[in-house]
Amino acid sequence: MDRSPPVVSQVVVKMHSRCDLACDHCYVYEHADTSWRGRPRAVSHEILAATAAGIAAHARAHRLPAVHVVLHGGEPLLAGPVLLRRAAEELHRALRGVSALDLRIHTNGVLLDEEFCELFRELGIRVGVSLDGDRTANDRHRRYADGRSSHARVLDAVALLSRPRYRELFAGLLCTIDLANDPVAVYDALAALRPPRIDFLLPHATWDHPPPRPAGSPTPYADWLDAVYRRWDEQGRPVPVRLFESVQRTLRGGTSLTESLGLAPADLVVVETDGTFEQADSLKTSYDGAPATGMNVFEHSLDDVLTHPGMLARQKGIEALCAQCTACPVVASCGGGLYAHRYRTGTGFDNPSVFCPDLMALIMNIRTHESLPEHPAHARAQEPARAQEHTRAQEHTRPEAEQALEPADFDELAAGFGGAGAVERLALAQLDLNRGLLAAVGGRADSADRRAAAAWELLLDLDTAAPHALEAALAHPYFRPWALGVLGGREPGALAGGLAELAASAALRARRADTVVVPLRDGTLRLPGIGRALLPGGAEEAELTAQSYGFTVRAGGRRIRMGWSEGLDGRTPHWQPVRLFEASGWRVALEDTDPLRDRYPWPAEERLPASGARAWADALAGAWSLIQRHLPSYAPGIAAGLRAITPLSPRAGGDTSATCRDAFGAVGAARPAAPAPLALLIVHEFQHVKLGAVLDSCDLYDPEDTGRYYAPWRDDPRPLGALLQGAYAHLAVTDFWRVRRTTAQTPAARGRAETEFARWRRQTSEAIDTLARCGALTGPGKRFVAGMGESAAAWRAERVAPEALTAARNSARRHRDAWRARNAPRG
């Protein structure tokens, strides 16, 4: 089997080897390994410098888009602010221009104060805090050596991180499970603190020292977690829970978010306070010396560490597991559990996890509970403003007072950017429009069309009983093109089918057992935003019913059970779910299933093979990392509003990308060969998405204007709307090349970026000037174009190499001369 070369993308740096608490379940001080006794209390400056240099060398050699570093202990705050600053500055200095740095610190919280928070805010260090629940639960283990409670001090730390000034630093809470604690009380106490994430950890144990198992259940840890899961689910999943998300992702064929699940190769290395490299800390629970590698930061590289037998064993995926694991039906999700939990004297790690029965039960419980890749509570449109009058939507308009954006959002978007809040409010306005369109379409579902009327009645019921599910279905980008086609007579006969597809999608998202009759499209059952089923037998319609494991379909005299992965136990080979890409706060669908996705100038690709989907995921990971690092003003808006990418067939001679004016949240693109051009396509096309939504909220120019205008990037005269779209999109193109001048890897690439920046800066500024002088802008339009002009003016003030300026000037002259010759009146 071919594999990518192993890499280290996560490094834990031990800042201090002692702790100010005496937790009796701690794997560092209370388990088999005793190496901490002989190590220096604090790491040295020399070790920090060597560590940073080694991480940067590894990242450069393997072209890692991002490196994750955790400052750890013992208790890392005991190292003090001076040493923590030194660590962060060494890492930032070494990785600048090489890889993005995700820097975090994990603490028990008792020493956290405003001085530390100000330091972390300055240096971009996010903070994770250990807390086992309410006071009763937390004091069971997390006490000072003299027995005093630490709970109040930890709550003070969480309150500090929850202040608006420091909220962005808060990475989440980590809770170690104890069966003696009430699971619901623990969860409620943690969720009440509104953390950005909760991690539940199984207590460390091995076959030599198994975990406590009270009599009465063979799977007490799964039972404990199932109680938490049900409570979390009942509350609408208000906070991400890493363990549950990891099971959900791996059941869908994705990667785990934690090393304790999944089959991904080990990519974590620890640097101790004496500079020695170790494997994952959890191995300290196995036997004395288990994590040791015999290597150090001065004499060895991270590539050397990867050659250690213990690291090599954890690069083999399923091949490294024992026979019992490889034969298990949930092995792709479980992955054998945490490596340390497999240890037994005599057989080493060639065993299933000591938590094996619990892991299987947990995964099967979640698999039973889940019915969708996307739970309704995960829909982007959270608590949207509901339309009060469906009648106004039948005219496809809203009163002028409702069309205006908030001034701050308007100005932010006018500058060419738009953060998460502004884009989320655009998305809510788009959802409101879609609700109006649905009302208009539903008004045509008269009783003479039995299927359309039944689907409409179900949608009305879902709007009352499960509005989040309906809104998640309505937010699918290709709903509006279908609805406008029905209302405009361009989709004859599509009314009943589209309503049924929407109703089926919403009912499944709501996990309701309604049976929906859905007309097929050439044998294809379309479930917008969820996937498609290719049904054999020439049937014209299918009956779909939600089940606990997924759904059943009756078609052509056959009853077929379908789950949410690529098939349920291999029995549904024709089910093709929408694949989701998730990384660092962005969740986007790779939409290659919807029959209505073909809305672009270039044809949509057919369903991608698994290798093609993986290639897209790798490309998106690289592009997203680049956007986050080098174009941070665009990243939050993209994460909030770009929901779907439709793969397109590439055209000859250049990159291929496009948007559909009525498909908010989607872009179409052919996958480029490298992350940088994909990042450029994404930021460029998402400009069109944002501007389209702004134009749905207010008029920026007189729609009766019939003028044609010069666009410096086109050979033909453009209508005013097209010139505005081009100029707005090219603000992002200009900014991309502006940043690329300093971030490209080679002198040649940086030189090209200099020339491209000069060219696009000139062209975009010229187009903005044309817009400002056109005389057809509304009041809001003048304000919007002025905002665009301010961004362009700031870039015009930047120094550019003389040769790049000359090239841009000559290119502009040639283009205008050719344009005049081509568009001169014929005599």
Side-chain angles (χ1 to χ4, degrees):
M1 180 185 296
D2 293 334
R3 293 190 184 88
S4 300
V7 297
V8 174
S9 62
Q10 301 182 70
V11 180
V12 173
V13 179
K14 294 303 187 76
M15 298 298 300
H16 204 278
S17 65
R18 303 298 189 269
C19 189
D20 44 5
L21 294 183
C23 308
D24 59 13
H25 58 6
C26 179
Y27 58 80
V28 176
Y29 306 109
E30 302 295 334
H31 284 236
D33 188 82
T34 59
S35 57
W36 63 274
R37 298 181 186 278
R39 290 202 168 103
R41 289 179 177 269
V43 68
S44 69
H45 292 180
E46 293 76 17
I47 289 171
L48 290 174
T51 299
I55 293 171
H58 187 77
R60 186 179 294 107
H62 293 276
R63 299 182 178 180
L64 298 182
V67 173
H68 308 275
V69 178
V70 180
L71 307 180
H72 211 280
E75 170 48 51
L77 296 186
L78 288 173
V82 173
L83 194 56
L84 290 172
R85 174 183 290 279
R86 182 64 174 262
E89 290 177 344
E90 291 284 0
L91 289 162
H92 281 296
R93 186 181 305 113
L95 287 163
R96 188 172 296 118
V98 178
S99 295
L101 173 61
D102 175 18
L103 184 57
R104 305 187 180 213
I105 191 166
H106 194 87
T107 173
N108 60 36
V110 300
L111 293 178
L112 190 69
D113 57 16
E114 289 193 31
E115 180 185 2
F116 277 122
C117 285
E118 287 296 326
L119 176 71
F120 299 156
R121 188 168 181 265
E122 174 191 346
L123 299 172
I125 303 175
R126 300 189 67 203
V127 185
V129 177
S130 294
L131 179 65
D132 285 351
D134 56 18
R135 176 164 182 161
T136 299
N138 197 70
D139 287 355
R140 200 175 297 279
H141 301 287
R142 297 188 182 277
R143 291 179 174 271
Y144 289 94
D146 61 5
R148 286 179 297 126
S149 169
S150 66
H151 187 253
R153 296 293 297 273
V154 181
L155 289 188
D156 288 343
V158 173
L160 186 60
L161 290 170
S162 299
R163 291 183 190 175
R165 181 172 179 82
Y166 304 129
R167 180 70 185 180
E168 65 182 15
L169 303 179
F170 196 4
L173 298 175
L174 183 147
C175 170
T176 300
I177 295 167
D178 189 315
L179 297 179
N181 294 328
D182 177 81
V184 172
V186 167
Y187 165 76
D188 284 349
L190 299 177
L193 299 174
R194 298 180 56 249
R197 183 180 294 278
I198 298 174
D199 278 358
F200 288 106
L201 301 184
L202 292 167
H204 285 312
T206 67
W207 288 102
D208 291 349
H209 301 283
R213 290 191 176 276
S217 172
T219 57
Y221 293 91
D223 298 342
W224 196 97
L225 284 164
D226 189 56
V228 172
Y229 178 93
R230 290 175 183 275
R231 179 70 163 184
W232 174 69
D233 190 51
E234 289 168 0
Q235 293 183 347
R237 308 184 179 193
V239 57
V241 176
R242 191 187 302 271
L243 181 62
F244 299 155
E245 287 185 331
S246 293
V247 174
Q248 293 160 354
R249 287 166 59 99
T250 53
L251 285 173
R252 293 196 304 262
T255 56
S256 173
L257 301 172
T258 170
E259 66 170 331
S260 61
L261 291 171
L263 292 167
D267 63 352
L268 181 147
V269 168
V270 177
V271 177
E272 288 286 355
T273 56
D274 59 359
T276 56
F277 284 121
E278 289 202 339
Q279 301 174 69
D281 257 7
S282 56
L283 285 169
K284 294 179 183 293
T285 200
S286 304
Y287 59 89
D288 199 6
T293 66
M295 304 182 198
N296 64 73
V297 296
F298 297 108
E299 299 172 325
H300 303 91
S301 68
L302 288 172
D303 282 297
D304 293 333
V305 180
L306 287 169
T307 66
H308 184 273
M311 295 295 294
L312 289 173
R314 301 173 68 195
Q315 303 296 318
K316 297 179 180 179
I318 196 170
E319 297 174 22
L321 300 180
C322 66
Q324 180 179 333
C325 287
T326 57
C328 178
V330 300
V331 65
S333 188
C334 170
L338 193 69
Y339 190 70
H341 294 174
R342 305 175 203 168
Y343 183 75
R344 187 198 298 265
T345 301
T347 53
F349 298 97
D350 190 26
N351 308 287
S353 169
V354 72
F355 293 99
C356 176
D358 298 280
L359 291 172
M360 175 174 280
L362 172 66
I363 293 166
M364 295 303 291
N365 286 344
I366 292 178
R367 176 172 163 176
T368 298
H369 292 320
E370 293 292 317
S371 63
L372 284 176
E374 180 184 28
H375 186 276
H378 289 167
R380 294 184 183 274
Q382 296 289 331
E383 298 298 337
R386 304 289 304 279
Q388 297 299 314
E389 298 177 359
H390 285 275
T391 53
R392 72 171 187 241
Q394 294 175 4
E395 300 174 355
H396 316 154
T397 61
R398 297 185 296 168
E400 185 64 31
E402 293 191 354
Q403 293 182 12
L405 290 166
E406 291 291 329
D409 290 343
F410 187 90
D411 292 340
E412 188 178 342
L413 291 160
F417 308 114
V423 175
E424 284 169 358
R425 285 183 283 277
L426 281 181
L428 292 178
Q430 293 288 296
L431 181 62
D432 192 28
L433 285 174
N434 284 357
R435 279 187 158 277
L437 286 170
L438 178 60
V441 171
R444 302 190 177 192
D446 58 41
S447 58
D449 189 334
R450 176 178 52 83
R451 291 189 183 87
W456 178 237
E457 286 300 319
L458 177 56
L459 286 166
L460 290 175
D461 183 31
L462 287 164
D463 192 19
T464 300
H468 284 310
L470 176 59
E471 286 154 2
L474 282 176
H476 187 252
Y478 300 117
F479 163 76
R480 189 181 302 175
W482 166 80
L484 292 174
V486 169
L487 295 170
R490 297 186 303 275
E491 299 268 357
L495 175 63
L499 286 175
E501 291 166 344
L502 185 69
S505 174
L508 290 176
R509 291 174 185 274
R511 292 183 279 186
R512 294 196 8 163
D514 305 86
T515 295
V516 188
V517 178
V518 185
L520 303 182
R521 299 173 182 264
D522 296 323
T524 298
L525 171 64
R526 172 181 177 260
L527 296 173
I530 300 174
R532 70 181 181 186
L534 308 178
L535 300 175
E540 295 184 356
E541 63 181 25
E543 291 183 357
L544 180 146
T545 309
Q547 305 286 348
S548 60
Y549 53 79
F551 61 100
T552 60
V553 173
R554 293 181 184 273
R558 297 179 58 189
R559 179 176 180 272
I560 307 171
R561 301 170 72 238
M562 296 194 180
W564 296 116
S565 61
E566 291 285 353
L568 183 65
D569 300 331
R571 286 175 283 180
T572 56
H574 302 295
W575 170 239
Q576 296 179 344
V578 171
R579 298 172 174 124
L580 297 175
F581 168 79
E582 300 180 66
S584 303
W586 187 31
R587 192 168 193 253
V588 65
L590 196 62
E591 180 55 271
D592 59 358
T593 67
D594 196 324
L596 302 186
R597 71 192 184 279
D598 211 354
R599 302 278 170 176
Y600 303 97
W602 296 278
E605 290 269 34
E606 294 301 320
R607 173 70 168 182
L608 298 173
S611 59
R614 286 194 296 270
W616 259 105
D618 291 344
L620 287 170
W624 180 236
S625 173
L626 190 152
I627 291 169
Q628 287 185 300
R629 283 183 288 153
H630 303 320
L631 298 164
S633 296
Y634 300 86
I638 290 170
L642 184 52
R643 301 175 178 133
I645 294 177
T646 293
L648 301 180
S649 298
R651 63 188 173 102
D655 292 326
T656 304
S657 64
T659 54
C660 170
R661 172 64 179 83
D662 297 312
F664 176 81
V667 304
R671 179 174 57 83
L678 180 57
L680 175 57
L681 292 183
I682 289 171
V683 295
H684 171 195
E685 296 298 346
F686 194 64
Q687 295 290 95
H688 291 300
V689 173
K690 290 185 295 185
L691 182 55
V694 171
L695 289 168
D696 284 337
S697 295
C698 60
D699 290 329
L700 299 182
Y701 58 89
D702 181 359
E704 301 300 320
D705 180 77
T706 58
R708 292 293 184 268
Y709 301 87
Y710 174 69
W713 50 83
R714 292 282 300 219
D715 294 334
D716 55 333
R718 304 299 288 159
L720 187 60
L723 181 65
L724 176 61
Q725 285 278 0
Y728 191 70
H730 291 143
L731 279 174
V733 174
T734 305
D735 205 10
F736 173 88
W737 290 114
R738 182 184 71 88
V739 173
R740 192 83 177 148
R741 293 181 300 160
T742 58
T743 59
Q745 296 294 314
T746 65
R750 292 192 291 274
R752 183 201 170 197
E754 185 88 357
T755 301
E756 291 292 326
F757 171 60
R759 180 167 72 93
W760 284 110
R761 180 179 69 172
R762 184 186 184 95
Q763 292 180 348
T764 305
S765 296
E766 185 176 354
I768 292 171
D769 291 342
T770 300
L771 289 166
R773 296 193 308 267
C774 73
L777 297 179
T778 63
K782 292 176 182 177
R783 180 174 169 180
F784 195 87
V785 170
M788 295 169 60
E790 289 176 7
S791 293
W795 298 334
R796 285 199 299 271
E798 296 189 17
R799 290 179 58 84
V800 175
E803 57 271 23
L805 289 174
T806 301
R809 187 165 47 248
N810 292 339
S811 175
R813 184 183 303 114
R814 288 192 300 270
H815 184 273
R816 185 174 282 278
D817 289 345
W819 189 90
R820 286 170 174 161
R822 188 177 297 108
N823 294 285
R826 303 299 180 186

